[in-house]
Amino acid sequence: MHRELDGPQNSLVSRTIAIVALDDGPWVYSWIAGHIPTHSGQPARVEFQPSAMDERLPLFAVQSDHGP
């Protein structure tokens, strides 16, 4: 887990490095922003988050249960 300052109040944001399996097939190393559910044995569905910061890895966020 990695924490950095972000947001309007420069609050700590948790990020986890992960390997994301894209719908098109390839796998990519990436950051996952926010909380990752740990109670399920199932993979978490994520969505790409464009970032204005100069990230070395793409940024994804866990989708809510209402996502496709």
Side-chain angles (χ1 to χ4, degrees), residues 3 10 20 28 35 37 47 52-53 59 61:
R3 295 187 185 269
N10 281 331
V20 172
V28 295
H35 175 71
E47 60 187 345
M53 296 176 60
L59 178 63

Side-chain angles (χ1 to χ4, degrees), residues 1 3 5 8 11 13 20 22 24 26 36 45-47 51 55 57-60 62-63 65:
M1 181 171 291
R3 295 187 185 269
L5 296 177
S11 56
V13 175
V20 172
L22 301 177
D24 294 339
I36 298 174
R45 185 103 178 133
V46 295
E47 60 187 345
S51 175
E55 297 282 348
L57 299 173
L59 178 63
F60 289 82
V62 176
Q63 285 184 343
D65 293 334

Side-chain angles (χ1 to χ4, degrees), residues 14-68:
S14 65
R15 290 195 179 172
T16 304
I17 194 166
I19 298 174
V20 172
L22 301 177
D23 288 340
D24 294 339
W27 293 11
V28 295
Y29 283 96
S30 64
W31 289 115
I32 304 294
H35 175 71
I36 298 174
T38 57
H39 54 64
S40 171
Q42 299 296 321
R45 185 103 178 133
V46 295
E47 60 187 345
F48 177 69
Q49 299 292 308
S51 175
M53 296 176 60
D54 184 22
E55 297 282 348
R56 291 185 179 196
L57 299 173
L59 178 63
F60 289 82
V62 176
Q63 285 184 343
S64 68
D65 293 334
H66 307 297

